Amino acid sequence: LVKEEKANIKISSPDLGDLVYPLILKGTPIQVQKSLPTIHTFLGSEKIETFRFIHYLKKPIDYTVKIEKYSESLPNPIDFIPESAVIKVQPADPLKGVEITGTIKYEPYNIFETKAILKVSSPEGGEYTWVLTGQCSPPQPQVLLLFYI
């Protein structure tokens, strides 16, 4: 959990008596930012990519899924679309955790490389982030049309 708790620890010794020490326990957010593999597709098509993270809480929780700008100088990322805005997670064993999967769709609108940040977050479960990179190539023929004259 991402929070701070205060507690005391008591050590007893026959020679020294009881010693009490204050403890401050801090659960901090994950600071690692992962990258998903570059998603390659053609203009006019789409591709689905799966992301994974480990959930450790002993209670059910909802994670919010958002796509954000990679940097302020770039336009709003419209090429990446989360398949679901919320991921509902069941309770987990706090020592082992449970692997959670989600999907995003990459549907490019221009022929160039696109970057964005995928954020999956919950007030109690923390925040997980990934760098998304999409590479779009020129369109490919979808069907063969025969014309007889």
Side-chain angles (χ1 to χ4, degrees):
L1 293 174
V2 181
K3 65 179 185 176
E4 184 175 308
E5 293 275 333
K6 293 183 180 181
N8 290 319
I9 185 168
K10 181 179 177 181
I11 301 172
S12 297
S13 167
D15 297 330
L16 300 174
D18 293 337
L19 303 170
V20 178
Y21 295 96
L23 291 177
I24 299 175
L25 307 169
K26 291 183 181 181
T28 58
I30 298 171
Q31 299 297 324
V32 177
Q33 187 175 62
K34 300 178 181 181
S35 291
L36 290 176
T38 299
I39 307 168
H40 297 274
T41 193
F42 301 101
L43 188 64
S45 64
E46 62 185 43
K47 201 163 193 181
I48 303 294
E49 184 69 36
T50 301
F51 60 91
R52 294 172 169 78
F53 63 98
I54 306 293
H55 169 72
Y56 291 99
L57 291 179
K58 293 191 280 186
K59 64 181 187 175
I61 198 165
D62 292 346
Y63 285 93
T64 304
V65 182
K66 292 182 183 177
I67 305 292
E68 297 181 353
K69 287 183 178 186
Y70 181 72
S71 74
E72 286 303 315
S73 63
L74 295 175
N76 283 329
I78 58 172
D79 298 347
F80 300 100
I81 304 158
E83 291 286 297
S84 175
V86 174
I87 298 174
K88 294 186 178 293
V89 178
Q90 295 303 312
D93 178 337
L95 297 177
K96 295 179 184 176
V98 64
E99 183 178 71
I100 307 300
T101 60
T103 56
I104 55 157
K105 179 170 62 172
Y106 174 56
E107 187 174 0
Y109 291 89
N110 291 304
I111 302 174
F112 61 86
E113 183 179 89
T114 305
K115 287 193 172 220
I117 301 293
L118 168 63
K119 286 191 178 183
V120 178
S121 62
S122 164
E124 292 177 304
E127 182 175 276
Y128 299 86
T129 60
W130 294 265
V131 175
L132 301 173
T133 305
Q135 184 66 51
C136 180
S137 300
Q140 297 294 307
Q142 300 292 320
V143 294
L144 176 62
L145 298 175
L146 298 174
F147 294 97
Y148 296 99
I149 300 177

